[in-house]
Amino acid sequence: MAHRSKPSHPQRWRKVSRWDTVQDQGHWICTACRTAVRSYTYRIYPADSPHYERCIGLSWCPGCRVYTGAMVHVPRDRALPDALAALPPEHRERLLNSESRLIDYLDGHMEAAQ
């Protein structure tokens, strides 16, 4: 029997319409695994678009590997951090075309920053 290497993540990201969370000391916590919920919001329209305030908001639990995504309103004058700014355009485009790839990337970088 051939030896298989263990995957770096035992399960894939799974999109859900909702999951149970509670607020604890100003942070959202997943009730299933008690892990802090992470989130990221980004703009999908250029600044000159009338739809500029329509953004994508993602929230995920790194412990359970579940996530939600929705269109959210962000005022035009609110600056959003761009976690993908340093990436080459083709890598950035690849991540923005797949929510699960984007969350995997963001989660890994948030983990490394802690």
Side-chain angles (χ1 to χ4, degrees):
M1 181 190 260
H3 173 70
R4 289 185 186 195
S5 62
K6 194 173 185 180
S8 60
H9 295 291
Q11 69 187 90
R12 303 172 105 179
W13 290 103
R14 186 170 46 95
K15 188 171 188 173
V16 295
S17 58
R18 67 180 281 308
W19 81 95
D20 293 327
T21 58
V22 294
Q23 201 164 24
D24 183 23
Q25 298 178 8
H27 299 282
W28 289 100
I29 306 294
C30 174
T31 57
C33 69
R34 305 296 299 163
T35 300
V37 173
R38 296 178 178 169
S39 62
Y40 180 67
T41 302
Y42 63 99
R43 297 196 186 273
I44 54 175
Y45 294 102
D48 61 349
S49 169
H51 304 295
Y52 184 67
E53 294 176 327
R54 294 181 187 172
C55 301
I56 301 295
L58 300 170
S59 295
W60 66 94
C61 172
C64 295
R65 296 193 54 92
V66 296
Y67 75 95
T68 58
M71 185 161 288
V72 296
H73 178 268
V74 177
R76 184 172 286 278
D77 60 351
R78 181 170 163 215
L80 295 175
D82 185 354
L84 310 179
L87 296 176
E90 60 278 356
H91 190 190
R92 180 185 177 93
E93 183 77 21
R94 183 172 179 266
L95 292 174
L96 291 174
N97 285 331
S98 166
E99 285 181 345
S100 60
R101 260 188 251 145
L102 176 58
I103 291 170
D104 205 41
Y105 173 84
L106 293 169
D107 193 59
H109 281 74
M110 286 181 171
E111 214 168 72
Q114 293 177 346

